[in-house]
Amino acid sequence: MTSVIANEAKAGKTPKAPTSDRSRAENRLALKLVAPALALMLVVTAFPMLRALYLSLFDYSLTAPDDRTFIGLTNYWTALSDGLFWRDTVTTVAIMIITVAFELVIGFAFAMVMHKVIFARGVIRTSILIPYGVITVVSGFAWQFAFSYQNGFVNSWLPFIGDDFNWFAERNSSLIAIMASEIWKTTPFMSLLLLAGLAQVSEDMLEAAKVDGATWWQRLYKVILPNMRAAIMVAVLFRALDAYRIFDNIFVMTAGANSTESISFLTYRQVIEQFQLGIGSALSVLLFLSVLVVAFIIVKLFKVNLADARQEG
Amino acid sequence: MTARRTRRVAAGLAAAALSMSVLAACGGGGGKPTLNWYINPDGQDTLNALAKSCSTDDYTIKIQLLPSSATDQRTQLARRLAAKDSSTDLMSLDPVFVPEFANAEWLLPFEGELKDTVLDDDVLKGAGETVTWDDQVVAAPQWANTQVLWYRKSLAEAAGLDMTQPVTWDQVIDAAADNDGTVGVQANKYEAYVVWINALIQGAGGNILDPKTVEAGRDAKVTIDSKAGEDAAAVIEKLARSKAAQPDFSTSNEGTSLGQMFPKSGAGEFMTNWTFVYKNYDGLIGKPGGPADKAGLDDLGWARYPQTVQGEESKPPIGGIDIGVGAYSKHPEFAQQAAVCVTSAKAQTELAVNEGLMPSRQSVYQSDELKEAYPADLLALWSESVDSGGPRPKSAYYSQISSAVQARWHSPTAVGPSTPGKSAAFLKAILSGKALL
C-alpha cells in the first residue's frame, strides 16, 4: 500500500479523496493493535544501538569501571585516524567484493541448473543447497583442515602448489582460504534468491526472442538478466551486507593472524577480548554506518527502486 | 480429530514436564548448596579429588571445566562475572588476571581471620604478591609456577660452563652455538613471549611499567624504553641471529622445545621453561622425545634463570594459579571456606606430587612426600625462584599491555635497539586509549 501511494505521489498524481471516517477508525485501531509489537521491537533493536552510541562517548574499560570518563567523539577520531582500522576496512571490502562476485556467477549457474533440470529435481536442488545448511563454524573448520598442508587435500589437488605449502603462513593465501570457505558456504543462498528471480522471467518473452532468432547469449543478456535486475540486486545486497560482517570464518581459520582481520573481528577484539567498551562501541557504530553506506551504494548501482521491485514481486 | 487431541495431550504433557524441570532447576533452595568451581584443564584428576574431599555437610563443590587457552578462560569468566553470575563461586585464576578482576570488583576479598589464613608467612613472597590488590587479599594462592634454566649437563660441560655459578644469557647462547646445541625459549606471538621479555627486562633492573605507578592503570608510567629494555632487546637479537636459535624460533612455545633436549642427534639444549619439565622427561624415559634411560635423565640439569646482565640477579617468571571467590556468589562464606580448603598445605602437597604443580607454601617444599618425588636441589631451586621472582605488570589493563608489547616485539627476528623506544610510544598510546590493538 505504501508503495502504491509513493508511486502515485512520484508520478504527480493527485491524491485520492480524503479517507472516510470508517477507514480512519480502522487505521487508528490498526495502530493500537501494532503498538505493543512496535514498542517491543524498539526496545529490542533500538536500545542496544542507543546504548552503543552512548558508550562510544566514554573511555571505558569493563575491568576499570571507576576510570570511566566522558571523552566525546575522541574514540571515533582514534579509530578513524588509526592505520589498523583502515587496513581492516580494506580487507573487509576486498573479501566482500571478491566473494560476492564469485557467488553471483556460480550462484547464477546453479540457479539455471535448478530452474531447467527436469529429472531428479528435488535431489539436485537439495544437494546444491546442502552447504548453506552447514553451520559457518563447522564449514570454517572443514576448510581449515582442507587447506592444511599436513592433512588437507587442497595442496594435492592443485598441481601448481607444492605439497608443503602452508596457506595460513601469510596474508594473501590465508585470505584465499577464508574466501573459499565463505564462497562454498553461501553460494547456495545466492542461487536460491536468483532462482526466485529466474522463475519470474516470462517464458513468452523468451519464446518470442527465440522466434526472432536471438542466440542463447543474446537471450541471457537482453531478456533474462534485465528482467531479473531486482532479484539480482536483492541477492547482491543481502550477500554483500552479510559478507561485510564476516567474522566466523576468520575466527576459526586464522583468529585474525597475518593481518586477516575484518572490521567485525577488530570490534570483537576490542569489546570481548580487551573489554574496551568505549572504543569497541565506537567501532560497532562505525560498522553500522559503513553497512548503511554499502547498502546505499548497491541500491544506487543497480538503479532499482526498491518500492517498484516489491510491487513487481 | 483424534490426531489433534493426541497432539494436544502430548503438548500438554510436554509443557508440564518442562515446567516441572524448570521448577526443579530453580528450586534446590532447601537442599545442600552446590558451589561451582571453574578450573583450567591442568591437574584435573587431583582437583576433582580435592573438590570431593573439601565438600562438607554444608555444601558440595562441583568442578566446571574452562577452555584450555588462558585468553578463553579469562573471557569466559569475565563474561559471567560482568553479568553478575551468582553461580560462579570459586575460580582458578592465572595470576595476571587477578588485578583485572579485582579492579572490576568481581572478586570477594578475604577479610579478618580468613585473610591471615590464605596469606600467612608460609606463603612464598612471589606467589603472595599475585593475590593482593589495593591493600586487600583478593584470592588465595593455590600453586606457584616458575621458570628455571633446564639444560644437558654434557652440553654445559663441553662448553666449559660452571653451572654452580649464575650464568648469563650471553654465555648460554654462546655455549649452545659453539657446541652444536640450541636454546629453547617461548617466542611465539602470545602471552608467554611477554613473560620472557618481562623477565629479561627485570633481570636488567628495569620494568615494562614503573612498579610504583603500575596500579594506576591508564596513568601508569611506561619505562620499557630504558637501558634495561635495550639489554633485553639485545639478548633477543643475539639469540635470533645465533646458530643456537631453534628452527621454529618465532613460533616457539612451552611444548615445541621439549623435544630438543634429547634429540636423535645433536648435543641437546639450554631451555627456559616451567616446572612441569621434570615430570615430563621423567615420564618419557625410553620413549620418543625423552631420555634413552635413567642415566639419560641424570644428564638433565637445572639452574637458576639466566642473568640478563652479568652480576645482576635474575628475576625468574612467576606463574601458577590463585583461587578467587566470585563477588556475586550466593554462598560467599561457604565459598571462602572452600577456597581455604583447596589451597591448604595438604591440597598443595597432593597437587605437587600427583600433577607436578608446585606449591606456593614454603613448608610444603619441606614435606616428605615432595622430597620423595623430586630431587632436593630442584625443590630448593624452585622455592628460591618463586620467592625471588619478578611479577608481570600488576595492572587492570594487563591484557592490553601484553598485546601492545607483543605487537612491537614480534617477530623476535626483527627486534633491535630501536624496539624498546617504539614499543614505549605504542604502549603509551594504548594506555591512553589513543590507538587500536
Side-chain angles (χ1 to χ4, degrees):
Chain A
M1 200 168 96
T2 335
S3 63
V4 175
I5 293 168
N7 285 336
E8 282 172 355
K10 209 169 62 180
K13 285 181 194 168
T14 43
K16 280 183 184 163
T19 41
S20 66
D21 284 350
R22 186 183 155 181
S23 66
R24 257 181 289 167
E26 277 176 353
N27 279 343
R28 274 200 300 276
L29 179 65
L31 276 176
K32 277 181 198 154
L33 288 174
V34 298
L38 196 69
L40 190 69
M41 283 225 335
L42 279 177
V43 170
V44 172
T45 59
F47 175 74
M49 286 206 274
L50 291 176
R51 174 100 181 136
L53 209 58
Y54 171 72
L55 284 176
S56 70
L57 304 176
F58 288 87
D59 176 10
Y60 180 25
S61 169
L62 198 59
T63 51
D66 297 339
D67 291 354
R68 183 165 124 163
T69 39
F70 181 81
I71 52 166
L73 297 174
T74 313
N75 279 331
Y76 292 94
W77 171 246
T78 303
L80 291 171
S81 61
D82 199 302
L84 191 64
F85 176 82
W86 293 108
R87 190 198 72 191
D88 291 352
T89 303
V90 168
T91 309
T92 312
V93 171
I95 291 177
M96 179 184 79
I97 292 176
I98 296 172
T99 54
V100 173
F102 271 94
E103 284 168 18
L104 188 61
V105 175
I106 304 170
F108 191 75
F110 279 164
M112 295 285 261
V113 170
M114 288 198 278
H115 188 58
K116 291 281 173 205
V117 73
I118 293 165
F119 74 99
R121 205 174 177 141
V123 176
I124 290 175
R125 284 189 174 188
T126 312
S127 48
I128 285 179
L129 292 176
I130 280 174
Y132 195 61
V134 177
I135 297 159
T136 317
V137 172
V138 175
S139 89
F141 273 116
W143 281 92
Q144 189 190 29
F145 287 128
F147 276 97
S148 158
Y149 70 98
Q150 284 154 329
N151 42 23
F153 59 80
V154 172
N155 281 0
S156 54
W157 281 15
L158 297 175
F160 49 90
I161 296 278
D163 276 351
D164 58 351
F165 180 72
N166 183 359
W167 286 85
F168 299 107
E170 53 109 21
R171 179 178 152 95
N172 288 346
S173 53
S174 303
L175 285 176
I176 290 175
I178 289 167
M179 287 191 284
S181 170
E182 186 78 0
I183 291 168
W184 178 81
K185 163 90 174 69
T186 45
T187 300
F189 177 66
M190 188 73 122
S191 55
L192 206 60
L193 292 179
L194 293 176
L195 178 66
L198 215 51
Q200 285 170 21
V201 179
S202 142
E203 285 296 326
D204 296 349
M205 274 198 279
L206 284 171
E207 202 63 36
K210 217 174 191 173
V211 171
D212 287 345
T215 62
W216 188 84
W217 278 110
Q218 281 169 328
R219 271 178 279 148
L220 181 69
Y221 274 104
K222 309 260 180 191
V223 183
I224 299 179
L225 289 181
N227 278 295
M228 279 178 72
R229 206 169 66 181
I232 294 175
M233 192 211 66
V234 169
V236 169
L237 184 70
F238 279 17
R239 268 307 303 145
L241 295 185
D242 217 20
Y244 196 78
R245 293 185 288 111
I246 182 168
F247 176 80
D248 322 37
N249 271 318
I250 297 174
F251 186 83
V252 169
M253 295 172 88
T254 63
N258 304 321
S259 318
T260 51
E261 259 182 11
S262 65
I263 285 290
S264 306
F265 198 90
L266 179 71
T267 312
Y268 159 83
R269 272 201 312 111
Q270 303 302 319
V271 181
I272 306 292
E273 267 183 26
Q274 308 287 354
F275 303 151
Q276 300 302 312
L277 299 189
I279 188 97
S281 300
L283 282 171
S284 49
V285 170
L286 288 174
L287 181 68
F288 174 72
L289 292 178
S290 53
V291 165
L292 285 187
V293 171
V294 171
F296 179 78
I297 291 173
I298 291 173
V299 172
K300 281 282 156 207
L301 213 64
F302 277 83
K303 294 192 187 95
V304 172
N305 185 335
L306 270 180
D308 285 350
R310 211 163 55 172
Q311 207 180 3
E312 278 171 22
Chain B
M1 190 67 188
T2 334
R4 188 184 290 173
R5 188 175 294 161
T6 320
R7 270 208 300 275
R8 237 184 246 168
V9 171
L13 282 175
L18 186 70
S19 53
M20 290 290 277
S21 63
V22 168
L23 281 175
C26 292
K32 195 162 125 181
T34 301
L35 302 179
N36 289 305
W37 178 13
Y38 287 86
I39 61 158
N40 52 334
D42 291 328
Q44 282 179 54
D45 293 344
T46 306
L47 292 176
N48 271 304
L50 274 180
K52 216 173 211 175
S53 66
C54 284
S55 294
T56 66
D57 292 341
D58 294 326
Y59 53 84
T60 311
I61 304 175
K62 197 174 164 210
I63 294 276
Q64 308 283 355
L65 197 60
L66 288 170
S68 56
S69 111
T71 313
D72 293 341
Q73 291 163 15
R74 166 180 167 271
T75 310
Q76 191 180 125
L77 286 174
R79 288 168 82 172
R80 284 180 178 279
L81 293 165
K84 300 191 181 351
D85 174 30
S86 64
S87 69
T88 308
D89 302 296
L90 295 158
M91 59 200 120
S92 298
L93 289 169
D94 201 299
V96 283
F97 304 146
V98 171
E100 273 191 323
F101 281 39
N103 196 54
E105 291 173 4
W106 292 339
L107 299 178
L108 191 69
F110 290 87
E111 279 159 351
E113 208 176 301
L114 279 173
K115 177 182 162 185
D116 300 333
T117 316
V118 297
L119 193 61
D120 56 18
D121 293 341
D122 190 28
V123 176
L124 295 169
K125 197 170 137 266
E129 269 176 17
T130 66
V131 296
T132 55
W133 179 257
D134 212 8
D135 299 327
Q136 284 186 309
V137 176
V138 291
Q142 190 189 38
W143 53 273
N145 211 346
T146 187
Q147 289 203 356
V148 298
L149 178 67
W150 302 93
Y151 64 97
R152 286 282 290 273
K153 289 177 186 164
S154 52
L155 173 62
E157 209 167 291
L161 268 186
D162 176 11
M163 298 302 288
T164 59
Q165 297 300 315
V167 290
T168 63
W169 278 98
D170 268 356
Q171 288 172 325
V172 166
I173 295 168
D174 289 338
D178 297 342
N179 294 281
D180 196 22
T182 57
V183 175
V185 290
Q186 292 87 43
N188 197 0
K189 194 176 180 181
Y190 73 141
E191 213 275 309
Y193 183 41
V194 182
V195 170
W196 186 33
I197 296 168
N198 185 55
L200 286 173
I201 295 176
Q202 290 193 327
N207 281 290
I208 293 177
L209 299 170
D210 180 6
K212 286 196 203 90
T213 62
V214 69
E215 292 197 19
R218 289 214 187 280
D219 300 323
K221 198 172 153 214
V222 177
T223 51
I224 196 170
D225 186 14
S226 60
K227 176 76 179 55
E230 283 165 28
D231 291 337
V235 169
I236 297 175
E237 191 183 3
K238 176 167 176 147
L239 180 56
R241 293 186 183 175
S242 160
K243 257 193 348 193
Q246 294 177 347
D248 59 350
F249 178 50
S250 60
T251 55
S252 55
N253 61 43
E254 283 92 342
T256 54
S257 51
L258 289 174
Q260 305 290 326
M261 188 63 80
F262 300 99
K264 281 198 183 112
S265 64
E269 65 173 337
F270 291 93
M271 165 175 72
T272 50
N273 212 332
W274 303 97
T275 55
F276 74 94
V277 168
Y278 182 80
K279 276 259 165 179
N280 174 69
Y281 290 131
D282 196 18
L284 283 178
I285 294 176
K287 292 183 192 153
D293 46 25
K294 188 77 183 58
L297 186 67
D298 288 342
D299 195 29
L300 179 72
W302 41 85
R304 178 152 171 159
Y305 201 78
Q307 297 180 341
T308 312
V309 181
Q310 183 138 31
E312 179 108 34
E313 206 170 58
S314 65
K315 290 275 184 187
I318 303 276
I321 284 294
D322 298 327
I323 303 294
V325 171
Y328 310 105
S329 168
K330 268 188 244 154
H331 313 284
E333 281 161 28
F334 290 158
Q336 290 198 321
Q337 274 177 35
V340 170
C341 180
V342 299
T343 56
S344 66
K346 186 172 161 285
Q348 296 199 6
T349 312
E350 282 167 28
L351 279 167
V353 174
N354 303 338
E355 312 285 351
L357 307 172
M358 287 300 117
S360 55
R361 292 180 164 275
Q362 183 64 48
S363 61
V364 184
Y365 283 90
Q366 269 114 38
S367 68
D368 295 337
E369 291 97 327
L370 254 74
K371 281 183 178 157
E372 205 172 294
Y374 298 96
D377 59 334
L378 184 56
L379 285 177
L381 174 65
W382 280 338
S383 87
E384 174 202 312
S385 296
V386 176
D387 217 19
S388 57
R392 281 162 274 172
K394 212 171 160 187
S395 167
Y397 294 88
Y398 178 73
S399 173
Q400 283 191 289
I401 295 165
S402 167
S403 302
V405 171
Q406 290 166 41
R408 290 297 176 271
W409 287 67
H410 205 269
S411 162
T413 47
V415 167
S418 62
T419 308
K422 281 186 208 154
S423 69
F426 186 54
L427 197 47
K428 275 179 202 155
I430 288 293
L431 278 176
S432 55
K434 299 234 160 52
L436 289 174
L437 260 177

